[in-house]
Amino acid sequence: MEIKRAKSEEKPAAAGTEIIESLYAKRIEIYPRSQIGDSLGWFQRWRWVLVWLTQLFFYGMPWVNWNGRQALLFDLVARKFYLFGLVLWPQDIIFLTGLLIVSALSLFLFTAVGGRLWCGYACPQTVYTEIFMWIERHIEGDRARRMALDRQPWSARKVAIKGAKHAAWVAVALWTGFTFVGFFTPIRALGAEVASLGTGPWETFWILFYGFATYGNAGWLREQVCKYMCPYARFQSAMFDRDTLIVTYDERRGEPRGKGSKTSDRQARGLGDCVDCGLCVQVCPTGIDIRNGLQYECIGCAACIDACDFVMEKAGLPLGLIRYATTNSLRNNFGGQQILRRVFRPRVLIYSSILGTIVLALAIALVLRVPLKVDVIRDRGALAREVSDDSGRTLVENVYRLQVMNTSERREVFQIKADGIADLELASNATFDVAPASTVSIPLRLRAPAGLDAGSHRIYIEVRAQGDDGVHVREKTTFLGLRP
Ligand code: SF4
Ligand code: SF4
């Protein structure tokens, strides 16, 4: 029996031929054409604006100081998150949870309205790939030169060019890893440690790991991360409907495609507006042809829109052959007003109202948040005991321990009060102070008349900041009497 290796372009094999189909498809290198100068369109300008904004935030934020410390710092060792004037403790995990829910819902909302806006404009994979391609273009040259260089046999010149590119990529990747770790450990101290080669094992690991991931994902894997690794690409279609804005080729206007200059009478030749220049495919970072319809590989970067508009302008044809459009608008020839009206559909309104409610609830909770946390722990070793005071009265005493957390950024003096049963008095210090963003453990002795019935009595312990009535916490606990 004849055994053949299958190739997609081969004709069907004859009967009796065993076909061996490889499950591994070799990657075809993509050389996206750069859009620079005149061909840099509106959407690509916006993409660069977002690259700048996100990267200014990422690389710059760890260096911003606030109150003499890093403004944004997730201090995992001390288990405190600093966000400008806000200090969040592990007990404030609800805010982090809320933030994650808001991020997920925002993603649903923006995807339902504008498709893969996140992927195309703000996803770190897209942004770093863009940066790495910019470096590549400046070292190796544009598309044609890169393709020619890759076809050439290895030479000293090729090694030098490739070496320079990889050195630049590695430098950016390591700086990215360093910056990433700088969100978790004070970046200035980290910088000094790196300069003296004295970073700890975890810091070293994460700088190298994050740097390696950036280098590998943005330099080598690129579109493969979006196509094969990103889970979001898989489930996003569940968030699309016929009124979601997607990057679309207007087939009715473009087909039948055919080459021709702007002076040609395309209508007379029965041609549509697509001049079949292939530019939309050449600029696509995932290497697809949008004229084949919506494909899951499309990350919604709109590079093909700008490329096609550039061609249309040169050919003297109306812009927008490839454009953001909804399936309904293409089918029913909707205008801008009709598309806009359909943005406010039930799915979008539901996402928006849930999102708005959660954001409002989080904002209110943050504003009302008291920068003080108190835990009352009963002393299990000495439940209740009889004691005499200075005047010889016999009293019953209960011992507690207060864990007091000052989550503000200033030293506070606190006062303790207790009530709930008659003649309850404090036998330990009533005032104490706590350093900024710290916890103290305070012993507390409460006394009541000896005639108090045996069993537990509900009492309240209040801790209040001196000079700030808004900062107080009232905790419930029990007091044990001894009289049989
Ligand atoms: S088809 Fe267009 S929008 Fe989609 S990834 Fe390619 S260039 Fe970007
Ligand atoms: S860029 Fe526009 S005109 Fe050129 S092939 Fe693509 S759709 Fe056709």
Side-chain angles (χ1 to χ4, degrees):
M1 181 191 289
E2 189 192 353
I3 296 178
K4 289 189 73 178
R5 297 206 172 269
K7 286 186 190 151
S8 51
E9 64 271 19
E10 277 183 357
K11 290 179 191 154
T17 305
E18 186 179 331
I19 305 289
I20 298 178
E21 184 84 51
S22 172
L23 293 177
Y24 173 74
K26 193 171 181 299
R27 181 194 179 209
I28 299 165
E29 184 71 39
I30 295 170
Y31 300 88
R33 179 190 282 270
S34 318
Q35 291 172 288
I36 43 176
D38 283 356
S39 65
L40 184 66
W42 195 81
F43 292 107
Q44 298 321 294
R45 283 180 209 276
W46 268 109
R47 286 188 80 209
W48 274 109
V49 167
L50 279 154
V51 167
W52 275 100
L53 288 180
T54 51
Q55 297 320 295
L56 274 177
F57 176 84
F58 178 75
Y59 291 112
M61 198 62 220
W63 298 97
V64 175
N65 268 8
W66 184 269
N67 274 351
R69 52 138 178 97
Q70 201 165 308
L72 179 58
L73 179 66
F74 301 92
D75 192 340
L76 295 179
V77 177
R79 296 197 295 166
K80 287 177 211 161
F81 293 168
Y82 296 97
L83 193 62
F84 291 91
L86 194 68
V87 186
L88 295 176
W89 295 62
Q91 288 83 347
D92 296 314
I93 191 78
I94 183 76
F95 292 109
L96 193 62
T97 313
L99 195 67
L100 291 178
I101 294 173
V102 167
S103 309
L105 275 171
S106 305
L107 200 61
F108 293 171
L109 175 64
F110 290 126
T111 306
V113 174
R116 295 179 73 173
L117 288 177
W118 164 257
C119 300
Y121 296 87
C123 170
Q125 176 62 23
T126 309
V127 167
Y128 284 104
T129 302
E130 201 69 27
I131 294 171
F132 274 50
M133 287 198 309
W134 182 87
I135 294 171
E136 188 172 61
R137 189 172 74 241
H138 280 80
I139 295 177
E140 289 190 358
D142 203 356
R143 185 171 188 265
R145 292 176 66 180
R146 289 202 304 274
M147 290 166 84
L149 183 71
D150 281 359
R151 279 195 301 268
Q152 284 170 19
W154 283 99
S155 63
R157 180 179 163 274
K158 184 169 173 175
V159 169
I161 293 175
K162 292 278 179 193
K165 177 181 83 172
H166 286 281
W169 280 0
V170 168
V172 173
L174 285 177
W175 188 255
T176 307
F178 167 75
T179 305
F180 173 74
V181 175
F183 280 95
F184 299 92
T185 191
I187 200 161
R188 286 178 171 79
L190 182 68
E193 284 173 14
V194 170
S196 62
L197 298 179
T199 48
W202 280 111
E203 288 157 343
T204 309
F205 169 78
W206 281 108
I207 290 174
L208 293 178
F209 179 80
Y210 201 83
F212 176 73
T214 306
Y215 172 74
N217 288 340
W220 290 93
L221 295 177
R222 295 191 175 174
E223 82 289 347
Q224 296 181 90
V225 175
C226 311
K227 281 160 81 169
Y228 307 119
M229 293 161 69
C230 176
Y232 175 53
R234 305 283 161 190
F235 69 79
Q236 59 157 339
S237 54
M239 292 176 239
F240 281 20
D241 60 23
R242 289 172 189 277
D243 290 307
T244 298
L245 278 172
I246 43 177
V247 177
T248 328
Y249 167 68
D250 189 343
E251 198 177 328
R252 279 201 293 206
R253 198 190 123 188
E255 300 296 321
R257 66 190 75 164
K259 300 205 184 295
S261 71
K262 65 179 173 182
T263 49
S264 306
D265 185 358
R266 300 181 62 84
Q267 277 181 342
R269 290 165 59 203
L271 293 176
D273 281 354
C274 174
V275 298
D276 205 13
C277 62
L279 208 61
C280 51
V281 183
Q282 290 174 19
V283 296
C284 178
T286 63
I288 59 169
D289 187 343
I290 192 66
R291 293 173 297 175
N292 295 335
L294 179 65
Q295 295 145 73
Y296 81 92
E297 294 96 333
C298 173
I299 58 168
C301 69
C304 52
I305 297 185
D306 285 339
C308 190
D309 279 351
F310 179 70
V311 175
M312 291 291 109
E313 204 173 355
K314 292 266 177 244
L317 292 164
L319 307 188
L321 177 57
I322 301 176
R323 62 181 182 272
Y324 275 108
T326 67
T327 311
N328 269 337
S329 72
L330 283 177
R331 280 199 187 147
N332 306 310
N333 277 328
F334 285 163
Q337 288 293 327
Q338 283 160 302
I339 294 176
L340 198 62
R341 231 175 286 134
R342 282 170 173 259
V343 167
F344 303 102
R345 53 196 188 277
R347 166 194 295 236
V348 173
L349 294 178
I350 290 170
Y351 284 154
S352 309
S353 40
I354 296 174
L355 188 62
T357 309
I358 295 176
V359 169
L360 190 67
L362 277 177
I364 292 173
L366 264 180
V367 170
L368 298 180
R369 178 175 168 271
V370 176
L372 165 68
K373 299 191 192 310
V374 177
D375 264 345
V376 181
I377 304 154
R378 281 195 62 89
D379 186 341
R380 300 274 170 207
L383 290 179
R385 63 186 176 207
E386 272 195 351
V387 292
S388 297
D389 68 2
D390 296 344
S391 60
R393 282 186 307 156
T394 305
L395 299 162
V396 57
E397 183 178 270
N398 281 205
V399 181
Y400 306 83
R401 185 156 286 281
L402 294 190
Q403 292 281 7
V404 181
M405 246 183 229
N406 173 16
T407 63
S408 76
E409 290 216 79
R410 59 172 191 267
R411 178 173 288 277
E412 292 277 14
V413 177
F414 293 105
Q415 188 149 31
I416 308 174
K417 279 186 190 160
D419 62 83
I421 51 180
D423 299 324
L424 184 67
E425 55 188 64
L426 210 63
S428 48
N429 284 342
T431 57
F432 61 95
D433 68 335
V434 188
S438 348
T439 307
V440 292
S441 180
I442 304 286
L444 175 71
R445 286 183 290 127
L446 294 180
R447 290 175 179 177
L452 189 67
D453 290 341
S456 65
H457 302 265
R458 177 170 295 176
I459 62 163
Y460 297 91
I461 294 171
E462 187 179 279
V463 177
R464 184 178 288 270
Q466 276 185 352
D468 191 347
D469 270 357
V471 181
H472 67 275
V473 168
R474 193 171 161 82
E475 283 289 302
K476 192 167 62 180
T477 185
T478 54
F479 188 95
L480 299 180
L482 286 176
R483 198 182 74 170

